[in-house]
Amino acid sequence: MATRNDLANAIRALAMDAVQKANSGHPGMPMGMAEIGLSLWGNHMRFNPVNPQWADRDRFILSNGHGSMLQYALLHLTGYDVTLDDLKNFRQFHSKTPGHPEVHYTPGVETTTGPLGQGITNAVGFALAEKLLARDFNKPGLDIVDHHTYVFLGDGCLMEGVSHEACALAGTWGLGKLIAFWDDNGISIDGHVEGWFTDDTPKRFEAYNWHVLSVDGHDVDALDAAIVAAKAVTDKPTLICCKTIIGKGSPNKAASHDCHGAPLGDAEIAATRAAIGWNHGPFEIPADVYAGWDKKESGARLESDWDALFAKYAAAYPAEAAEFKRRMSNELPANWQDVVKAAVSDANTKAETIASRKASQNALNAYAPQVPELLGGSADLTGSNLTNWKGCVSLKREGNELIGNHISYGVREFGMSAIMNGMVLHGGFRPYGATFLMFCEYALNALRMASLMKTNNLFVYTHDSIGLGEDGPTHQPVEQLQTLRCIPNHHVWRPCDTVESMVAWAHAIEQKATPSSLIFSRQNLMFMVRDEAAIANIRKGGYILKDVANPAVILIATGSEVELAVKAAEALAAEGIAARVVSMPSTNVFDAQDAAYKAAVLPRGVARLAIEAGTSDFWRKYVGLEGDVIGMDTFGESAPAGQLFKHFGFTVENAVAKAKAIIA
């Protein structure tokens, strides 16, 4: 029978061997955290390796994702579909074992980690989703949602500012089923961290209202006791501070940065094998070690027990059981298309001239009651972003319960966005969160991760241009629209009125594997009259809003500048110049249409002028070398919006002059 040392050393051996074979990777963390992995995965975590998507599994997140071989070794040893060949292909093209854990690539990986700090922040989202789902669905004696979120993290995660944002909220929300293990090894890439990381981490987390424990990270009994103690505290998240030796077992490289991010080398691996008593070849795991780690049978029992519980739940509460299944499978309600059709028709009938941020709120009032998994929030700007709707209640803690469905994240744009990523990956929720467009800058890496992970988050940004006026260039976005549009697998919508706003929200809600950024104005936008065909084509991202026979010029615009394009077309018509107006609320969606549709909207050989209060270079691909752009190639100024638009050339007179010059 394999001993504990054998089980832990199997992790060390696989980490050494895989990194060496790849000639790339981080062996030190897996070797130092082997006993922590053994305690958690071997003795406490509830999962079924045969079904990694079992709804009530415990969630595990490796925030210090550079140590990915720890997770891959654990997945392989416990019985997931991660083979020895997969480990041998560590960090190779299209393998199941990429350099950092990637959700959808590897069975058992819950989120993509690597950018430090975001894993622990995702974990807060996972734990929040669990707590709110349990609140919404559990019944007396029938707790169908009852699992923990476990996260490993290192010094780098704690140094990243986003961990401060998220962990403070976790304590405020009392996420008692969130348990984090800090790998306190004192080493980062530059060496010993005492020169740049001297925080009193336990006191910091106590100040956040966390339960804090400290243990020897190589003592399995102490780790087991700490996990039991952590589970017993249900009104606070727990941080278990684990003092470890990075690269434990390596005679010459342990406790130094030499084993942090580079292979140990053949000679040091041989010396390590001798030092830890591992008398087996590369990638060789004895049968008794596999038997000691295997969780397929116990995992199947856990899931079977839950299935029986859920069957009782479904018998007693059939409607709730069906709704739970729908939400966890990321499906929209059966009547969704009818809801959208009615909402768009209503917006078209009312024909309101209002700010698109208000139009966005109208969309939420139409859609949110029908899609209860929509969970809104704002980074301290609810009254400006208008993300609250008639039926929403501000989230607050009452005792050990969380009440409400609209989250005040405080001034934590990055934390909000990364928490949302965790929530949507957990399942059961479609979070949306908002701030001013300018402050998406604080959160960009979380948006990039959402797109990389193929989530379907909804990011809401208001105050979209110099149109916000007197707050000045610190708050006036210029390059942000183009930055967001350049993120692969990310839809950006900038609607021009109430109908486009309603369609943009519907399109974003319908996405399965693509996040969306919805961009709205502070100032009122004129309602656009359009026919049914044009309304249908809004979904294609760009469409003909106003057409003429044989246009001499095409005016392309988004958001608040569509009104300018329409008025410029009217002025051109008065001079006998035919101008088509194309509204392009989503360039990403338009670009994905077939060539025939795009050619019909933007035919070759016709002069083009693009108009948008953002940087101009982006639009060159649509207007060509002969076309022109009215855009922003400087920062804004502090002044009323009308004065700014005139100063920067967003006038009918300038648009007409530019169009004539292009035609000439």
Side-chain angles (χ1 to χ4, degrees), residues 47-53 78-81 295-297 299-300 303:
F47 59 94
N48 181 7
V50 177
N51 180 14
Q53 297 304 311
T78 55
Y80 284 84
D81 184 20
K295 296 294 179 184
K296 292 192 289 292
E297 185 177 331
E303 184 174 359

Side-chain angles (χ1 to χ4, degrees), residues 112-136:
T112 300
T113 55
L116 294 176
Q118 288 195 66
I120 177 62
T121 308
N122 293 168
V124 172
F126 275 87
L128 178 61
E130 190 278 341
K131 191 176 182 81
L132 295 179
L133 271 181
R135 176 199 70 184
D136 293 347

Side-chain angles (χ1 to χ4, degrees), residues 357 360 377-379 381-387 434-436 460-463:
R357 61 174 173 160
S360 167
S378 172
L381 290 168
T382 300
S384 295
N385 300 146
L386 302 184
T387 49
T435 184
F436 290 169
V460 178
Y461 300 113
T462 68
H463 296 59

Side-chain angles (χ1 to χ4, degrees), residues 72 80 108 135 144 232 236 285 291 348 406 455 459 468 473 511 542:
Y72 300 150
Y80 284 84
R135 176 199 70 184
I144 60 168
K236 295 180 181 182
I285 304 295
N348 194 47
H406 186 276
T455 72
F459 301 100
L468 69 88
Q511 299 312 298

Side-chain angles (χ1 to χ4, degrees), residues 46 55-57 59 127-148 177 306 309-314 316-325 327-328 400-402 426 429:
R46 299 169 67 254
D56 202 40
R57 67 193 180 278
R59 270 60 167 183
L128 178 61
E130 190 278 341
K131 191 176 182 81
L132 295 179
L133 271 181
R135 176 199 70 184
D136 293 347
F137 285 98
N138 287 352
K139 302 295 182 182
L142 296 169
D143 289 346
I144 60 168
V145 181
D146 184 16
H147 53 266
H148 286 78
K177 289 186 176 177
W306 184 84
L309 178 71
F310 190 80
K312 292 180 182 178
Y313 181 92
Y317 303 99
E320 289 86 345
E323 178 70 357
F324 180 79
K325 286 183 176 180
R327 286 174 57 170
M328 292 302 290
N400 197 26
E401 297 298 320
L402 288 174
H426 177 280
F429 287 102

Side-chain angles (χ1 to χ4, degrees), residues 364-656:
L364 285 168
N365 280 320
Y367 298 145
Q370 307 300 320
V371 187
E373 59 267 35
L374 280 175
L375 181 64
S378 172
D380 204 47
L381 290 168
T382 300
S384 295
N385 300 146
L386 302 184
T387 49
N388 52 344
W389 50 281
K390 291 178 181 177
C392 77
V393 176
S394 183
L395 190 79
K396 60 182 178 180
R397 185 176 174 183
E398 293 185 359
N400 197 26
E401 297 298 320
L402 288 174
I403 310 300
N405 60 351
H406 186 276
I407 303 171
S408 292
Y409 287 95
V411 188
R412 300 181 179 98
E413 297 87 356
F414 192 3
M416 171 182 71
S417 304
I419 286 170
M420 289 166 55
N421 285 345
M423 292 174 65
V424 76
L425 287 166
H426 177 280
F429 287 102
R430 291 291 305 282
Y432 64 91
T435 184
F436 290 169
L437 177 57
M438 185 65 245
F439 304 129
C440 75
E441 294 287 350
Y442 287 122
L444 274 177
N445 202 263
L447 270 69
R448 183 180 188 275
M449 294 302 291
S451 299
L452 176 64
M453 295 189 290
K454 300 181 174 66
T455 72
N456 52 2
N457 276 338
L458 305 157
F459 301 100
V460 178
Y461 300 113
T462 68
H463 296 59
D464 66 343
S465 72
I466 56 173
L468 69 88
E470 293 83 351
D471 276 337
T474 60
H475 283 53
Q476 293 166 1
V478 173
E479 73 276 21
Q480 284 66 37
L481 279 165
Q482 324 313 356
T483 299
L484 293 174
R485 287 170 176 151
C486 287
I487 302 174
N489 188 43
H490 197 97
H491 291 163
V492 180
W493 288 87
R494 188 179 183 233
C496 76
D497 69 353
T498 54
V499 173
E500 282 192 4
S501 297
M502 199 68 72
V503 172
W505 263 105
H507 186 278
I509 290 170
E510 290 163 11
Q511 299 312 298
K512 294 284 191 181
T514 302
S516 300
S517 286
L518 304 170
I519 317 295
F520 300 112
S521 73
R522 177 193 184 191
Q523 74 274 26
N524 286 348
L525 305 184
M526 184 178 78
F527 177 79
M528 295 292 159
V529 177
R530 51 175 75 75
D531 59 25
E532 291 297 321
I535 292 175
N537 284 335
I538 294 172
R539 283 181 166 272
K540 296 179 179 179
Y543 66 101
I544 300 169
L545 176 64
K546 305 290 182 184
D547 207 6
V548 292
N550 302 314
V553 64
I554 300 172
L555 308 180
I556 311 166
T558 77
S560 53
E561 289 72 72
V562 171
E563 177 181 348
L564 170 58
V566 169
K567 290 180 177 178
E570 292 169 352
L572 287 165
E575 298 187 34
I577 300 172
R580 170 184 288 181
V581 177
V582 170
S583 178
M584 198 176 288
S586 179
T587 61
N588 313 92
V589 174
F590 178 76
D591 289 349
Q593 303 306 311
D594 61 58
Y597 178 77
K598 288 186 286 188
V601 174
L602 299 176
R604 292 179 181 274
V606 182
R608 302 174 189 176
L609 173 66
I611 311 171
E612 184 178 68
T615 48
S616 63
D617 281 354
F618 173 85
W619 289 98
R620 300 294 173 187
K621 69 176 183 176
Y622 297 102
V623 302
L625 294 175
E626 294 78 19
D628 205 350
V629 181
I630 300 175
M632 290 289 299
D633 292 312
T634 68
F635 294 113
E637 297 283 350
S638 181
Q643 185 177 349
L644 291 173
F645 278 120
K646 183 177 181 180
H647 172 76
F648 287 107
F650 294 93
T651 64
V652 170
E653 294 78 13
N654 189 39
V656 168

